[in-house]
Amino acid sequence: MKYLMAKKVIIIEDDETWKFIYRQQLRDVSDIAIVAEFERAEEAYQHLPQLNPDIAIVDISLPGISGLEFAEKMRDHPSVKIIFVTSHQEEYLSNHNTYGYLILTKGDKKGLLECLK
Amino acid sequence: MDKRRTLLTRFDLQTLTRPELENLILELQQKVPLSASDQVDYAGTTGIPEHSLNEESLQEREERLTALMNHNPSLIFLKDEKGRYVYLNNSYKRQFVGSKDWYGKTDFDFWPKESAELFIKDDRLVLESGVMQQFLEDSRDKEGKRYCWLCYKFPFTDSKGKIFVGGIGIDATERVIAQEALLESEERYRTLVRYAAAGIYEVDFTTGRLTEVNDAMCLILGYKREELLALPASNHLDEESKKLFLNRVKLAQTGQHLDNNIEYRVRKKDGQEIWGLFTSRFRWENGKITGASVIAHDITERKYAEKALREREQKYRLQAEELATVNKELESFSYSISHDLRAPIQAMKGLCSIMMENYSDKLEPELQGYLRRIVTSSDKMGKLVDDMLNLSKISRQEMNVQQISISKIAETIINELQQSDPAKKVEVSIAQNVVTRGDSGLMSIALSNLIGNAWKYSSKTPNAHIEFGEMLKDGETIYYVRDNGAGFNMKFASKLFEPFKRFHSDKEFSGTGIGLAIVKRVIEKHHGKIWAESEPGKGATFHFTLSLTSKD
């Protein structure tokens, strides 16, 4: 029942530790369900039609296409909400946040939970 | 001693040979109106037409001869066998006898002893030889004035068989003195050349031989003088220099203007090759170069020094380039290190937080304490890494130079500080209209560190005072930020601008110690310098200069 009601989240992150941390941080959140984890943005993009996620938590620096390039491709899936995570939030904020996306510092649990609401 | 020799040896002219002496006399003859053959005319009767001779009375002839004698500027005289004067012309009388009785008197009556002896000796030579002779008589009159006589003396026997010495003396004093001066200056010149430290020589291109060479030149080439004079001059040049030399002569011959100085490689007698600097002046004869006068210096050492210097410069340049590359690599290394360290530090912190939140009921309070300490340390590490990142970002950042107002930047910073800490009472003075060229963003960073420090370190000082100003010293503008806060010990001054150096505990004044390192990089990017003066408890003053030109 939880599964049906919950928001479907995919995580695109190449670092095992961070994937673990996201899982732990979201473990007890009631209306969230992590439906898939990917190490590469290309893979995630391929699986979008089957997964039909509501939210994508995307690391900006990834092997292969970057998180920002992934977001470009996601313009044809406007229903998917993208939350960027990075260790260098200020680098993107200093660009006046032109991307118009949510950008969180990795590990910021409070911020993450707020964005997921 | 022979007086003629005395004259000529007077200025160390031992080298004057008999032919040279005769040359000198010959030259003197050409410069004075009389010649030997003329005298015969004056003294005898050959110039007078034959037909009138018979018609003239003895008295008339006597008158004419006397007129000739007395209007002659030369000294003309006749002495008997014993040196007694029997005839003197007016010139002689006027100059050396005066109104005195002269007939039958000798040279000892009119001349000092030495001069009289000289004259009499020459008279005797003429009488002994029986022919006319020329003498150069260097004499003095009774006042000691010097007279050099070019004197023609001849033996004369009259119809009664009495023997006389006749003489015509031409005053050559000025000529002799001029000649002596010339010889003296030549000698002086020769001495200069001989003992000059530079090599000096003359070369005759028609024979290819040196014609004159001084001691220094012998020393440079390692030959004796005679050896050098005997060898072809081209022997001493290496092949390359020989070509250069021939080309130079060719060019000069066509009228091209050449630099007088040229460097040649030269072979010494022992085979050693040296470098010489040659300053030459060509000698021309009938439109052709026939030789040269040359001054030579051994510049081998200088050449080697120059070469060593060039090599050293090259080495330093390469080292500087290497250093610049290494520096750049280090900068990007520290950038990527600090960049990449951030994520794992945040992950550590994140994991600790999760443990504390999710397992708080299972963890003993002691373990929770440990976890909190790990979180605190991660935070601190994160801050240090951020500082490192900022520092290397400043170094890598491109400058955007324009006209900026430091006064306005300082004001903005003070306002921000004031807003963040409204309770603090600080007296602030900021010099107005301080304008310079610089990167506005970077200067803001530097000044916010400097003023921020002043703010921080005067936070515990009652009547805190912060000042920004400029002053002119030795034509250079020096900016300064001054406070009356905690200050520091000057013995740490050299460490002040090193990254992560701190002189106060975190409890006293918090910070990571990156601020002044950043300030220094910013100032250096503006080609400026920064230094500080302080005394513990009496505040600190940070001075800096900015030297960007309009080209930067």
Side-chain angles (χ1 to χ4, degrees):
Chain A
M1 191 65 194
K2 175 195 168 188
Y3 186 79
L4 284 174
M5 298 285 291
K7 287 177 186 161
K8 286 183 277 181
V9 173
I10 60 167
I11 295 172
I12 310 175
E13 166 66 74
D14 59 318
D15 189 311
E16 252 340 289
T17 309
W18 280 112
K19 277 196 277 198
F20 174 73
I21 290 172
Y22 300 140
R23 279 200 302 268
Q24 292 305 317
Q25 285 178 339
L26 301 180
R27 197 178 65 171
D28 299 330
V29 183
S30 54
D31 56 348
I32 293 289
I34 299 169
V35 293
E37 291 171 2
F38 300 98
E39 289 192 359
R40 289 172 167 272
E42 297 96 318
E43 266 176 77
Y45 189 76
Q46 278 169 15
H47 289 88
L48 276 179
Q50 302 126 261
L51 295 169
N52 194 23
D54 300 299
I55 295 165
I57 297 172
V58 186
D59 185 11
I60 291 182
S61 58
L62 287 168
I65 67 168
S66 74
L68 295 172
E69 285 163 330
F70 172 76
E72 287 286 306
K73 287 167 81 94
M74 289 298 283
R75 292 232 172 118
D76 51 359
H77 294 82
S79 63
V80 184
K81 180 180 179 183
I82 293 176
I83 301 168
F84 282 126
V85 283
T86 175
S87 295
H88 307 287
Q89 195 194 24
E90 79 291 342
E91 283 176 23
Y92 304 100
L93 292 180
S94 66
N95 289 340
H96 308 292
N97 204 4
T98 38
Y99 307 107
Y101 297 107
L102 295 162
I103 300 178
L104 290 177
T105 300
K106 279 186 178 180
D108 177 3
K109 185 182 174 186
K110 219 173 116 194
L112 186 62
L113 293 182
E114 240 163 59
C115 289
L116 288 171
K117 271 181 194 165
Chain B
M1 194 184 176
D2 187 333
K3 268 285 167 180
R4 282 165 303 175
R5 302 295 293 176
T6 311
L7 159 72
L8 295 164
T9 56
R10 192 183 182 98
F11 293 104
D12 198 18
L13 304 179
Q14 294 98 326
T15 48
L16 218 58
T17 56
R18 182 76 205 173
E20 281 170 331
L21 181 67
E22 277 164 7
N23 268 347
L24 177 62
I25 291 172
L26 205 67
E27 197 188 322
L28 290 168
Q29 282 174 5
Q30 287 162 358
K31 303 274 164 60
V32 292
L34 280 177
S35 75
S37 57
D38 290 334
Q39 293 153 34
V40 179
D41 284 346
Y42 279 109
T45 56
T46 40
I48 298 164
E50 203 67 29
H51 63 94
S52 58
L53 201 60
N54 302 326
E55 296 157 18
E56 287 164 3
S57 70
L58 196 62
Q59 193 189 350
E60 277 176 316
R61 279 164 64 184
E62 178 79 30
E63 270 172 15
R64 273 204 291 269
L65 277 177
T66 306
L68 274 176
M69 293 301 165
N70 285 342
H71 289 92
N72 198 309
S74 310
L75 306 188
I76 302 172
F77 54 85
L78 209 57
K79 303 176 199 171
D80 69 10
E81 228 174 337
K82 290 186 173 149
R84 291 178 298 217
Y85 280 102
V86 296
Y87 174 78
L88 286 180
N89 72 343
N90 274 0
S91 225
Y92 202 141
K93 283 185 224 161
R94 195 175 56 247
Q95 287 185 74
F96 300 104
V97 178
S99 55
K100 279 178 278 183
D101 190 17
W102 58 269
Y103 193 87
K105 297 274 177 3
T106 68
D107 285 319
F108 289 100
D109 295 300
F110 311 130
W111 301 89
K113 183 168 167 267
E114 273 188 27
S115 299
E117 277 169 354
L118 169 67
F119 297 149
I120 286 164
K121 197 170 145 222
D122 287 346
D123 295 348
R124 209 162 293 136
L125 281 170
V126 170
L127 289 175
E128 277 162 18
S129 68
V131 294
M132 186 183 89
Q133 287 192 39
Q134 312 162 351
F135 300 95
L136 188 62
E137 293 174 332
D138 191 0
S139 65
R140 307 235 165 221
D141 72 3
K142 286 206 157 161
E143 274 79 51
K145 193 180 167 207
R146 187 179 177 198
Y147 285 93
C148 295
W149 302 107
L150 177 60
C151 196
Y152 302 86
K153 291 189 171 176
F154 53 90
F156 169 68
T157 311
D158 70 5
S159 50
K160 290 172 186 161
K162 277 192 190 160
I163 297 167
F164 300 92
V165 175
I168 301 161
I170 300 154
D171 186 356
T173 314
E174 276 178 29
R175 293 261 147 225
V176 168
I177 287 173
Q179 188 75 13
E180 278 173 358
L182 187 68
L183 287 169
E184 190 195 356
S185 98
E186 267 177 15
E187 178 60 19
R188 216 161 39 211
Y189 184 69
R190 205 171 299 159
T191 309
L192 271 181
V193 167
R194 176 151 188 212
Y195 299 111
I200 299 176
Y201 63 89
E202 287 191 323
V203 57
D204 181 349
F205 291 164
T206 57
T207 62
R209 295 289 197 277
L210 301 184
T211 51
E212 199 56 69
V213 62
N214 75 344
D215 292 356
M217 195 65 214
C218 296
L219 211 64
I220 288 174
L221 292 176
Y223 285 97
K224 285 185 189 136
R225 196 179 126 85
E226 306 77 57
E227 292 174 323
L228 268 186
L229 293 177
L231 279 168
S234 60
N235 256 29
H236 314 300
L237 294 181
D238 82 341
E239 289 309 312
E240 192 63 27
S241 299
K242 224 178 275 183
K243 274 184 217 154
L244 258 174
F245 163 74
L246 291 174
N247 194 42
R248 249 172 90 75
V249 176
K250 214 161 89 188
L251 285 175
Q253 189 73 64
T254 61
Q256 194 158 327
H257 182 76
L258 298 172
D259 185 353
N260 283 338
N261 298 309
I262 185 155
E263 291 172 5
Y264 290 133
R265 271 188 82 77
V266 177
R267 240 188 329 265
K268 290 179 67 155
K269 186 182 180 184
D270 62 10
Q272 193 194 337
E273 294 221 327
I274 58 169
W275 275 102
L277 173 68
F278 293 79
T279 309
S280 60
R281 199 186 169 86
F282 290 126
R283 241 192 340 270
W284 295 76
E285 262 169 55
N286 302 325
K288 281 196 79 177
I289 295 174
T290 58
S293 306
V294 187
I295 299 177
H297 287 96
D298 182 351
I299 55 163
T300 313
E301 272 178 36
R302 196 181 87 193
K303 278 292 223 198
Y304 283 134
E306 276 172 6
K307 193 168 162 241
L309 196 68
R310 265 201 307 278
E311 284 169 355
R312 216 173 312 148
E313 267 172 12
Q314 170 80 0
K315 207 171 109 193
Y316 286 156
R317 200 165 49 241
L318 285 176
Q319 275 176 354
E321 278 166 17
E322 260 170 48
L323 277 177
T325 312
V326 169
N327 221 12
K328 226 171 186 168
E329 278 169 7
L330 270 177
E331 257 168 33
S332 69
F333 176 72
S334 67
Y335 179 81
S336 48
I337 285 276
S338 44
H339 189 266
D340 295 351
L341 274 179
R342 261 177 148 188
I345 293 166
Q346 285 163 356
M348 280 181 348
K349 190 185 160 189
L351 288 168
C352 289
S353 306
I354 290 166
M355 275 168 85
M356 288 195 289
E357 283 174 29
N358 295 359
Y359 301 97
S360 58
D361 48 340
K362 291 176 188 148
L363 285 174
E364 288 174 27
E366 199 184 340
L367 287 181
Q368 289 192 24
Y370 284 138
L371 282 174
R372 267 197 305 278
R373 278 166 204 270
I374 293 175
V375 170
T376 312
S377 291
S378 312
D379 277 343
K380 190 159 185 187
M381 192 166 167
K383 184 81 180 68
L384 286 171
V385 162
D386 285 354
D387 283 345
M388 224 159 100
L389 200 56
N390 282 334
L391 188 63
S392 65
K393 269 185 193 162
I394 300 247
S395 302
R396 291 151 66 99
Q397 191 173 321
E398 288 287 321
M399 296 263 282
N400 174 23
V401 178
Q402 56 194 354
Q403 199 76 2
I404 55 171
S405 164
I406 310 189
S407 302
K408 285 206 177 117
I409 293 173
E411 268 165 32
T412 310
I413 292 162
I414 286 286
N415 287 341
E416 281 168 7
L417 287 167
Q418 205 84 67
Q419 277 166 19
S420 69
D421 190 1
K424 188 174 174 183
K425 287 216 158 39
V426 181
E427 192 191 327
V428 177
S429 51
I430 293 171
Q432 293 304 297
N433 303 321
V434 178
V435 182
T436 186
R437 289 181 64 76
D439 181 301
S440 154
L442 286 176
M443 278 313 295
S444 294
I445 292 171
L447 280 170
S448 71
N449 274 296
L450 285 176
I451 297 174
N453 275 352
W455 187 274
K456 179 163 77 183
Y457 291 107
S458 63
S459 60
K460 293 170 184 169
T461 310
N463 306 319
H465 183 228
I466 295 172
E467 182 189 356
F468 165 75
E470 64 173 340
M471 57 185 165
L472 205 64
K473 199 184 172 194
D474 300 329
E476 190 174 34
T477 307
I478 297 172
Y479 309 94
Y480 62 88
V481 175
R482 181 174 292 148
D483 67 66
N484 59 348
F488 60 88
N489 189 326
M490 279 301 279
K491 76 177 175 191
F492 301 123
S494 62
K495 304 253 182 225
L496 208 54
F497 300 97
E498 286 177 19
F500 307 119
K501 277 274 182 279
R502 299 219 60 216
F503 303 118
H504 300 275
S505 73
D506 225 29
K507 271 183 198 154
E508 284 178 288
F509 298 102
S510 66
T512 56
I514 203 70
L516 288 177
I518 287 176
V519 173
K520 186 167 185 242
R521 294 228 177 149
V522 170
I523 300 298
E524 281 172 352
K525 274 179 97 91
H526 287 74
H527 299 170
K529 282 180 300 213
I530 181 160
W531 66 100
E533 280 162 15
S534 180
E535 217 179 295
K538 292 194 175 171
T541 306
F542 284 80
H543 301 92
F544 61 96
T545 60
L546 303 168
S547 306
L548 287 184
T549 63
S550 52
K551 283 178 198 153
D552 290 309

